[in-house]
Amino acid sequence: MSIKRTLASFAVVLTVFGGIGMAGAADKAGEHHDKSHVERQNWSFSGLLGSYDKAQLKRGFTVYSEVCSACHGMNLLSWRNLMEEGGPEFTKDELKALLAEKEVPAEPNDEGLTHSDEDGSRLMRKALFTDRMLSPYANDKAAMAANGGALPPDLSVMAKARGIPHAADNSEASAWYAAPFYGLMEYAGWIGGTLKDIATQYQEGGADYIYALMTTYADEAPAGVDVGDKSFNHVFPGNAISMAAPLGTFETGADADKEANKELDAKSRDVSAFLMWASEPHLNARKNLGLKVLIYLIILSGLMYAVKRTIWAGVKH
Amino acid sequence: MDTLDLRTFKCKKRRTFPLGLNFCSNLGEGKYVIEGKETMTATMDEHQEGTSRRNFLYISTGAFASVGAAAVIWPFVDQMNPDASQKALASIEVDIAPVTVGQAITVLWRGKPVFIRHRGAPEIEDAGKVDVSGLKDPQKDSERTKKPEWLIMVGICTHLGCVPNGQKSGDVKGDYNGWFCPCHGSHYDTSGRIRKGPAPLNLEVPEYSFLSDTKVKIG
Amino acid sequence: MGHHESNYEPKWDIAKWFDERLPVARMVSDQFIVFPTPRNLNYWWTMGMVLFFFLIIQLITGIILAMHYIPHADMAFNSVEHIMRDVNWGWLLRNMHSNGASFFFIAVYIHILRGMYYGSYKAPREILWLVGVVIYIMMMAAAFMGYVLPWGQMSFWGATVITNLFSAIPIVGDSITQFLWGAYAVSQPTLNRFYSLHYLVPMLLVAFVFIHVWALHVVGSNNPEGLSVKSSDDTLPFHPYFTMKDMYMSVVFLTIYAFFVFYMGNYMGHPDNFIRANPVVTPAHIVPEWYFLPFYAVLRAIPDKLGGVIAMFGAIMVVAVLPWLDRNPIRSLRYRPKARLFFWLFVIVAMLLGFLGAKPAEGWYVTASRILTAYWFIYFLVIVPLLSKMETTNRRMPGSITDAVLNNH
């Protein structure tokens, strides 16, 4: 192959990956004003062979039910999902025990009432496996009223609804003659980021973000930053977040409680993994089948190429 | 444009392909001559060995591809089966305390109507004394109930899926005083057994259990 | 279709009986088995079959998804998640459909650039080219409306922005947007009609694919030398030579596609689309799907509303008239080194525009978008016509495809 043809092929490969890269960048552009860096974590569910760690999901569920569920719901999940394959896989008895105390708003009774005649309280019934993991609030307005006007979002697909940028934006080149240089550097970084994402099958941006969100609360906003009655978080877009640090903040200084810090880190990790599962409940099955399909298709490609070569053997073209 | 008729080429090397197509591999080696009707089978034996190796490759590739194609069909078919949320549809609990003797209620379970009838003594007696050997779908009344006074069954005619009449007091109950399906005239008796008409089977009895005297769990 | 003589001879009486009444087998034999195809086609010519594969995948998975999807503003988002969670294999089918769209566009962009490089749009293939542009526009319409259906934030605001393009039309603009919406903003009626049209457009697209193939088989394939077929020496029967080559490339594409379907299903989407549509909150930064990004960059490069819209549609339409902008008798850029240089520059510019389309419209991003947009139009409207008058002969050009094949290798 001549040098020219090699270069041409190279350009086309860049075109193809660039196309995918555009997707990658489009993906992450939402966070472009946020200069804080979200670190990529090691997750059991990343990569070609990744799968969820059941024990971690169970621990994550505990964090969810003890902390998050006080304000957030997961209305795309039913309790039964917790015992399904590829998730925390609680046994039926464990789930029954979990639901023993759980009550949900009852359907209208035979008199058509949803609220008690006597005290006007909401009529409740025992929760079933098929019930959704609802928000504790009756509706969005009630949730906002109880949280100073901020709506605690549903967490069902939170780990898919957040991502992290793989290349920072820099729209402010210092001088016009420097712009092309910045541009090419940024473009190269962008292509490189895309290739890295593909090489690592990176789809854990949401989990990384949630972990970062949980672990980058500051006790006090830095000097000169006013967050009002909100909390300061390093990775939250705009830094001022209505949710107070749900798992606490890291202790610093000489007399820091190392155990507490470790626990905060572990809980953040576990709940991020749990939310990832909630967003992608079929990840285990998907990756498992995916590997088989890929191996099959690679072998088939090889066979097809051999057939093609045989057919074309001796035919100049 | 010249006609490309491969059967009329002078062929040095004959090549065999699937679908019974034979071509010359010397096609690309420069000129080939169109010579009337001469066929090109002459040199086949010379390349027998190569041909069988090629055939093995073609057949194994074809088989390998077919296996994959067949496997791909399953998800496209299986997606039509009841999904996880349908399969998980819970059993229901029904409070039967308000249903007095002679009354019946209809509840919805898995999208289907379930008849719950509080039978009186005459009905129970009627249902019990029938000679089951003469029935289309022989079943004793005792096989169809857990407590004789409560008859619980899926209210769907076993003919073609209509809902029989007979739940309300004013309904036409058919020749056997049970249920009557207006669609195609099936008569069911006080035990929900098919007695007359096109339906092949008795009304289905779902899985159920009594949680207490006044609570029944269906499913 | 193609006007080479038929050599199909039914083997059995039943086949003969059928052939006299409906010569389907004859057509398949003539058009897809013995069809004379230039022997020198390279792998860039395999995209037709790859596209056909992806069209089939999109149609089948689309019909299936329609069995589970609910086109209602309150339920659409949940029904898509229901597909991903509860429907048997739903996660697979939905990932196939959403990533299938991206791969459809990857293949179509290679297909279009191949046509531009080797001059496949030139006489006698102008109609073939125009039908191709129509198919491309239909793909864009189908992809856009499909992206609206999950009713996430990007769906909703993408629909809002794109339909608002029509409001740039003087006087009747607002009436047109309200007509498109069926309301005073993107809402339930909009979603419902987009669903219907998302189902309709691909059917029309299939019809145009038939016309595209028909037009192709009347004039035959172009080839890397850009030379017309002069004798049967120049061609090979379509089967098994090109069927095998095309199928091989299709499997290679399927492999990459499977990698995305199984491992990076959401990579080419946007996280914001997993946030339910909210008519009162716009996401910080709206971006379309990647395959629209170059045109989105063109739209934003122009500081005037109507001007931006005209530029964006113009950037697509200028491609359609390429056969009349480039009248040079030499088809293949293999024999036009100057045109080749500017072509590759165009490819790079298109890529960079895509990159800029994904960036916020601020700072040097905007400046760069303007320069590159200018190149896009200058390339088609000035450079191509000018070069068309030059480079009209090339002494390296072989006399025939066969000559080229026998001498080059």
Side-chain angles (χ1 to χ4, degrees):
Chain A
M1 203 186 262
S2 70
I3 293 172
K4 273 188 214 161
R5 289 187 67 189
T6 314
L7 282 175
S9 310
F10 186 65
V12 171
V13 168
L14 269 188
T15 311
V16 172
F17 282 113
I20 296 164
M22 283 180 212
D27 234 14
K28 278 83 189 179
E31 280 82 18
H32 74 96
H33 284 298
D34 176 35
K35 306 286 189 225
S36 294
H37 188 56
V38 175
E39 298 268 334
R40 294 187 182 190
Q41 305 296 321
N42 286 321
W43 300 105
S44 68
F45 45 83
S46 62
L48 288 180
L49 299 166
S51 67
Y52 291 119
D53 173 359
K54 266 188 263 178
Q56 184 178 42
L57 296 189
K58 281 187 175 176
R59 294 195 302 270
F61 170 73
T62 309
V63 177
Y64 167 76
S65 59
E66 285 173 0
V67 183
C68 318
S69 70
C71 301
H72 298 270
M74 297 179 102
N75 66 27
L76 293 172
L77 277 84
S78 298
W79 296 104
R80 67 177 164 86
N81 293 135
L82 292 171
M83 60 181 200
E84 281 166 5
E85 204 182 335
E89 297 188 18
F90 285 104
T91 63
K92 205 167 184 175
D93 291 335
E94 284 173 326
L95 193 57
K96 267 187 185 159
L98 276 174
L99 291 187
E101 302 295 313
K102 217 54 56 329
E103 288 197 318
V104 294
E107 290 75 21
N109 64 13
D110 290 346
E111 284 84 48
L113 300 176
T114 53
H115 290 74
S116 158
D117 276 352
E118 291 138 27
D119 56 1
S121 65
R122 187 71 170 88
L123 294 172
M124 304 296 275
R125 67 162 168 80
K126 275 191 66 180
L128 303 171
F129 283 12
T130 47
D131 281 328
R132 301 282 176 147
M133 296 165 68
L134 294 176
S135 149
Y137 304 105
N139 50 56
D140 285 357
K141 291 251 166 81
M144 286 165 79
N147 288 283
L151 177 68
D154 186 86
L155 297 180
S156 312
V157 288
M158 190 48 81
K160 287 196 288 195
R162 297 291 182 272
I164 59 175
H166 67 204
D169 291 337
N170 184 7
S171 61
E172 293 140 21
S174 50
W176 66 269
Y177 50 81
F181 174 73
Y182 277 111
L184 287 176
M185 287 296 285
E186 211 179 309
Y187 186 69
W190 186 50
I191 299 274
T194 305
L195 292 176
K196 187 182 156 205
D197 284 353
I198 291 172
T200 52
Q201 301 88 46
Y202 185 64
Q203 285 276 274
E204 293 81 37
D208 287 339
Y209 174 81
I210 294 166
Y211 171 80
L213 187 80
M214 291 297 111
T215 52
T216 61
Y217 271 92
D219 287 326
E220 275 175 38
V225 180
D226 181 25
V227 292
D229 52 359
K230 297 185 173 186
S231 302
F232 184 89
N233 186 291
H234 285 283
V235 300
F236 188 75
N239 298 120
I241 183 168
S242 299
M243 173 169 71
L247 301 173
T249 53
F250 285 115
E251 290 182 31
T252 50
D255 55 346
D257 183 347
K258 280 191 181 151
E259 283 307 307
N261 283 352
K262 243 188 207 167
E263 198 187 322
L264 165 57
D265 183 83
K267 277 185 171 176
S268 305
R269 213 171 278 280
D270 293 345
V271 80
S272 305
F274 175 73
L275 291 179
M276 182 72 187
W277 166 76
S279 290
E280 286 285 336
H282 295 295
L283 180 142
N284 283 5
R286 178 159 63 74
K287 292 199 169 181
N288 192 316
L289 180 61
L291 197 64
K292 289 171 191 156
V293 170
L294 276 188
I295 291 170
Y296 170 84
L297 282 172
I298 288 168
I299 294 173
L300 184 61
S301 303
L303 283 172
M304 299 283 275
Y305 186 63
V307 171
K308 187 254 157 193
R309 283 286 298 250
T310 316
I311 287 173
W312 281 82
V315 181
K316 285 206 166 179
H317 59 282
Chain B
M1 189 195 293
D2 291 331
T3 304
L4 182 77
D5 187 345
L6 286 164
R7 288 159 306 133
T8 57
F9 294 149
K10 182 179 177 189
C11 192
K12 287 185 211 145
K13 288 183 197 162
R14 181 178 178 275
R15 316 205 54 186
T16 312
F17 295 110
L19 298 186
L21 287 155
N22 304 320
F23 294 110
C24 279
S25 66
N26 58 325
L27 219 52
E29 290 166 3
K31 301 271 188 237
Y32 47 82
V33 191
I34 297 170
E35 285 188 340
K37 285 288 172 194
E38 196 174 319
T39 54
M40 51 185 200
T41 49
T43 56
M44 179 144 178
D45 293 333
E46 297 165 28
H47 298 279
Q48 202 75 49
E49 204 179 315
T51 306
S52 70
R53 207 184 317 121
R54 281 196 298 275
N55 279 345
F56 176 73
L57 178 64
Y58 299 154
I59 291 167
S60 51
T61 305
F64 196 70
S66 309
V67 169
V72 160
I73 293 172
W74 176 239
F76 293 86
V77 174
D78 189 36
Q79 52 86 20
M80 296 254 265
N81 281 320
D83 63 43
S85 63
Q86 293 294 327
K87 284 184 203 149
L89 269 190
S91 49
I92 55 165
E93 286 175 22
V94 185
D95 181 12
I96 51 177
V99 187
T100 56
V101 175
Q103 272 193 336
I105 58 167
T106 306
V107 295
L108 207 60
W109 170 69
R110 288 193 166 177
K112 298 188 282 194
V114 170
F115 293 167
I116 302 176
R117 183 163 182 82
H118 197 169
R119 299 190 295 185
E123 285 175 79
I124 299 172
E125 201 182 316
D126 274 359
K129 71 184 182 198
V130 174
D131 175 16
V132 297
S133 64
L135 298 183
K136 203 188 252 180
D137 181 10
Q139 238 182 345
K140 284 196 196 123
D141 187 50
S142 56
E143 292 169 45
R144 294 178 54 78
T145 52
K146 289 194 173 155
K147 292 181 178 179
E149 62 271 32
W150 292 104
L151 177 64
I152 298 175
M153 51 191 190
V154 176
I156 291 179
C157 180
T158 55
H159 181 221
L160 291 170
C162 297
V163 178
N165 292 334
Q167 285 291 88
K168 282 183 240 145
S169 52
D171 278 0
V172 175
K173 297 194 173 203
D175 295 355
Y176 298 88
N177 199 32
W179 286 266
F180 171 69
C181 182
C183 291
H184 308 99
S186 290
H187 300 254
Y188 296 91
D189 66 13
T190 54
S191 186
R193 289 173 298 206
I194 179 65
R195 299 296 287 271
K196 192 174 150 189
L201 296 170
N202 303 334
L203 292 176
E204 184 198 341
V205 176
E207 199 177 298
Y208 70 89
S209 58
F210 286 92
L211 298 175
S212 70
D213 281 350
T214 60
K215 265 237 158 110
V216 63
K217 183 181 156 205
I218 300 170
Chain C
M1 286 209 185
H3 42 58
H4 63 109
E5 273 170 49
S6 177
N7 68 351
Y8 172 75
E9 272 175 32
K11 276 186 191 150
W12 307 295
D13 285 350
I14 177 85
K16 190 165 181 295
W17 182 88
F18 208 88
D19 186 56
E20 284 159 1
R21 284 154 181 83
L22 185 67
V24 167
R26 176 180 299 277
M27 192 203 74
V28 171
S29 166
D30 293 350
Q31 302 300 331
F32 302 105
I33 294 182
V34 299
F35 189 73
T37 309
R39 58 197 282 182
N40 59 335
L41 297 189
N42 56 29
Y43 275 108
W44 301 119
W45 260 265
T46 57
M47 287 306 124
M49 180 85 92
V50 171
L51 284 163
F52 183 72
F53 253 95
F54 279 101
L55 177 62
I56 299 290
I57 289 175
Q58 290 305 85
L59 291 177
I60 294 177
T61 54
I63 288 167
I64 286 174
L65 291 174
M67 295 182 190
H68 303 282
Y69 171 78
I70 304 169
H72 188 285
D74 294 340
M75 290 183 268
F77 187 89
N78 282 10
S79 76
V80 172
E81 277 299 315
H82 164 71
I83 291 169
M84 297 291 283
R85 287 160 192 274
D86 288 337
V87 173
N88 304 321
W89 304 99
W91 57 267
L92 174 61
L93 297 164
R94 203 251 163 165
N95 273 2
M96 282 176 79
H97 198 69
S98 58
N99 287 283
S102 280
F103 275 79
F104 209 145
F105 275 96
I106 291 175
V108 94
Y109 282 133
I110 297 175
H111 196 66
I112 292 171
L113 289 174
R114 188 269 289 151
M116 286 172 67
Y117 185 90
Y118 293 111
S120 300
Y121 49 84
K122 291 186 187 179
R125 296 186 181 81
E126 299 95 326
I127 298 285
L128 179 61
W129 179 258
L130 284 178
V131 174
V133 173
V134 170
I135 291 173
Y136 174 57
I137 291 169
M138 284 181 159
M139 278 175 66
M140 299 217 279
F144 161 64
M145 289 187 286
Y147 193 61
V148 173
L149 301 184
W151 213 236
Q153 275 289 66
M154 279 295 162
S155 300
F156 184 92
W157 292 101
T160 301
V161 168
I162 300 298
T163 48
N164 261 315
L165 293 178
F166 294 93
S167 71
I169 303 169
I171 306 165
V172 291
D174 285 340
S175 313
I176 290 177
T177 47
Q178 286 177 16
F179 167 77
L180 291 174
W181 295 331
Y184 299 99
V186 174
S187 54
Q188 170 59 36
T190 326
L191 174 61
N192 221 329
R193 66 188 56 183
F194 275 23
Y195 177 55
S196 171
L197 294 174
H198 182 64
Y199 214 108
L200 168 70
V201 170
M203 289 195 250
L204 298 176
L205 200 151
V206 168
F208 273 85
V209 167
F210 269 101
I211 297 173
H212 196 60
V213 173
W214 184 5
L216 172 70
H217 281 227
V218 169
V219 295
S221 292
N222 182 32
N223 60 82
E225 298 296 328
L227 299 168
S228 297
V229 169
K230 295 196 172 92
S231 73
S232 55
D233 287 14
D234 290 345
T235 64
L236 287 170
F238 191 70
H239 179 80
Y241 293 99
F242 296 99
T243 43
M244 231 19 249
K245 195 169 182 169
D246 289 357
M247 298 272 272
Y248 162 62
M249 190 42 107
S250 302
V251 173
V252 169
F253 251 72
L254 281 181
T255 309
I256 306 169
Y257 170 60
F259 174 80
F260 276 87
V261 166
F262 285 100
Y263 289 101
M264 306 190 79
N266 298 329
Y267 193 66
M268 295 197 258
H270 195 292
D272 276 358
N273 222 27
F274 287 106
I275 301 170
R276 226 171 270 267
N278 184 348
V280 296
V281 180
T282 306
H285 184 51
I286 299 182
V287 279
E289 289 291 79
W290 69 266
Y291 32 82
F292 297 137
L293 288 174
F295 302 108
Y296 193 56
V298 170
L299 170 75
R300 298 188 308 178
I302 311 293
D304 174 69
K305 182 172 176 180
L306 182 59
V309 174
I310 290 173
M312 192 184 75
F313 286 112
I316 302 167
M317 293 324 296
V318 79
V319 180
V321 295
L322 194 51
W324 294 275
L325 296 172
D326 179 9
R327 311 296 288 267
N328 190 302
I330 301 175
R331 292 199 189 95
S332 173
L333 295 191
R334 270 190 187 174
Y335 302 106
R336 296 182 59 194
K338 291 195 192 78
R340 191 164 65 215
L341 179 72
F342 287 100
F343 168 82
W344 284 115
L345 199 54
F346 167 76
V347 174
I348 293 166
V349 163
M351 290 293 309
L352 290 173
L353 274 174
F355 163 73
L356 291 165
K359 292 287 173 185
E362 58 192 36
W364 69 267
Y365 294 141
V366 177
T367 319
S369 297
R370 286 183 187 154
I371 296 167
L372 298 178
T373 300
Y375 180 79
W376 182 295
F377 285 101
I378 291 169
Y379 175 73
F380 283 105
L381 298 176
V382 180
I383 296 173
V384 165
L386 277 182
L387 285 177
S388 156
K389 303 259 188 271
M390 302 150 68
E391 295 189 292
T392 47
T393 53
N394 187 316
R395 59 191 170 76
R396 284 178 53 235
M397 236 163 77
S400 72
I401 293 172
T402 307
D403 282 353
V405 166
L406 297 182
N407 298 333
N408 275 4
H409 288 254

